[in-house]
Amino acid sequence: MERWPKRQGKSPLTLAHFEGFFRLLPARGVSEYSWTVEREEIEARGHDLKAVNPNAKRNEDTRTPEELLDIIEAKGKKVAEALAALRVLTEKKV
């Protein structure tokens, strides 16, 4: 029986800690420390295997078309004012 080395405090992991893993990896071998569960069993337990964060905040634009048009109109007025100010500045320099 292969024993896993006990981990102590701050001692780093070394390649020796992974010898059993690397020995079993090519053939996807199984040891007494392995655990596998069939997908059907996981789904039967009600677990969701999708790679989606259920706690993520949705970044959705909830503004109405009317609100968007109002914003565009207001920004358009600011742009028109800025253009008018630039025209005045350029006319004075000529």
Side-chain angles (χ1 to χ4, degrees):
M1 172 166 94
E2 181 182 351
R3 297 294 306 170
W4 288 91
K6 291 191 177 192
R7 299 282 304 126
Q8 301 226 355
K10 297 181 182 181
S11 61
L13 290 172
T14 63
L15 285 176
H17 291 104
F18 297 96
E19 285 178 4
F21 168 76
F22 288 125
R23 187 177 65 256
L24 295 170
L25 180 64
R28 300 287 194 241
V30 177
S31 75
E32 64 187 70
Y33 297 105
S34 301
W35 58 272
T36 56
V37 180
E38 297 293 325
R39 179 186 180 124
E40 292 78 20
E41 183 180 341
I42 293 170
E43 289 174 346
R45 292 180 184 176
H47 297 291
D48 188 1
L49 297 177
K50 289 185 274 184
V52 177
N53 182 354
N55 300 318
K57 293 181 181 177
R58 289 188 173 195
N59 191 10
E60 205 172 290
D61 191 354
T62 58
R63 296 176 289 187
T64 65
E66 291 79 19
E67 290 173 325
L68 292 172
L69 289 172
D70 291 341
I71 292 169
I72 292 170
E73 185 178 7
K75 297 290 182 185
K77 287 179 182 177
K78 284 185 181 180
V79 169
E81 290 171 4
L83 284 172
L86 285 172
R87 288 196 193 281
V88 169
L89 289 174
T90 56
E91 287 173 2
K92 288 181 180 177
K93 290 184 179 180
V94 175

